[in-house]
Amino acid sequence: MRDARVGHGMDAAQETRYNPFGMDEDCRNCEGLCDVRERVVHGYGDAGADFVFVGERPSAGAERTGVPFTGDAAGERFQDVLGQIGLNHSLPTSDEPEIENAYLTYLTRCRHPDRDPTDAEVATCEPFLNADLRMINPEIIVPVGERALAEIGTEYTTTPADDLDVVEHHAERIRGRGFELMPMIHPGSMTTEQADAFVTAFLDLLDTDYRQTKGRRGR
């Protein structure tokens, strides 16, 4: 495992990795979701992170644990990748991973058991994500999966959505408006070679002066 050069410890004022901004856990803005979900799954991790990972919606495992990208095989693979790049200091199987310098969240915070979120539900949940990004002010956003790349790419880059492909752009840096993007294929469908490629590209990123993008203060 890489030495955790990027691990800086959470801000002393941050009391919990789970939902550190105290967002509404009883949200009922989407009629089609609030009556079938088990819980709202808000963001988890370091509120002062350089890196924000954004998926489409909670999996059944994440809904059970209440922590994004945990609770199932895809979550374990994702957490293993974070461990290899120095952002997770616990076992990939942990339901409460020791995330440092990373924040994990979704486009939509509620899971429908039978379908993907609608465009209207993504739009309704967008203020939560916008608030996360505004308060964290990360250097790099990692869209996880095709839907996350399409939504975030449309919002934060000048690249046409039709030109964004998560397989083609996996582990590549894309210049955005205020942020850089580094897309990731969803861990549920990512091959070992693709996981290794992301780890290699991310470690290469850490060797650059990526924080100079916005003149972020040193940690």
Side-chain angles (χ1 to χ4, degrees):
M1 180 184 291
R2 177 86 161 209
D3 67 302
R5 300 185 298 163
V6 297
H8 61 284
M10 295 192 303
D11 189 288
Q14 184 178 346
E15 297 180 355
T16 175
R17 289 183 175 89
Y18 174 75
N19 192 15
F21 304 118
M23 294 183 179
D24 184 6
E25 296 181 33
D26 296 314
C27 176
R28 299 189 62 82
N29 289 336
C30 296
E31 293 183 2
L33 294 176
C34 60
D35 291 333
V36 297
R37 72 183 183 215
E38 291 186 17
R39 72 169 89 195
V40 180
V41 183
H42 282 301
Y44 179 94
D46 187 342
D50 285 340
F51 310 106
V52 172
F53 294 76
V54 183
E56 178 183 14
R57 63 162 184 161
S59 65
E63 186 177 47
R64 175 181 60 79
T65 65
V67 175
F69 301 104
T70 64
D72 53 23
E76 288 183 22
R77 167 168 276 193
F78 178 85
Q79 296 297 338
D80 179 65
V81 168
L82 291 196
Q84 292 185 62
I85 58 181
L87 302 181
N88 178 12
H89 306 296
S90 55
L91 292 175
T93 54
S94 175
D95 288 346
E96 297 182 1
E98 297 176 13
I99 301 298
E100 302 288 354
N101 206 15
Y103 191 83
L104 317 179
T105 190
Y106 295 114
L107 297 176
T108 54
R109 311 299 170 95
C110 299
R111 175 181 177 270
H112 194 289
D114 300 320
R115 62 168 175 80
D116 294 334
T118 65
D119 290 343
E121 288 163 352
V122 171
T124 299
C125 214
E126 187 177 15
F128 284 132
L129 179 60
N130 288 342
D132 281 338
L133 295 176
R134 183 175 65 253
M135 289 185 283
I136 296 169
N137 190 30
E139 298 289 345
I140 308 291
I141 301 175
V142 180
V144 181
E146 192 72 56
R147 182 80 173 273
L149 175 58
E151 296 289 341
I152 293 171
T154 298
E155 181 70 19
Y156 293 110
T157 78
T158 58
T159 304
D162 290 345
D163 292 342
L164 294 171
D165 181 273
V166 75
V167 175
E168 179 182 349
H169 296 291
H170 175 71
E172 293 184 3
R173 295 171 69 174
I174 301 173
R175 178 68 67 179
R177 295 192 293 263
F179 309 99
E180 278 194 305
L181 274 56
M182 180 177 277
M184 174 193 280
I185 294 170
H186 191 279
S189 57
M190 190 164 49
T191 67
T192 299
E193 291 75 17
Q194 289 165 336
D196 290 345
F198 187 88
V199 169
T200 298
F202 202 95
L203 294 180
D204 288 343
L205 166 69
L206 297 181
D207 283 332
T208 70
D209 294 328
Y210 68 88
R211 288 195 183 108
Q212 294 184 5
T213 302
K214 298 197 301 284
R216 194 179 184 90
R217 59 181 173 81
R219 295 189 185 276

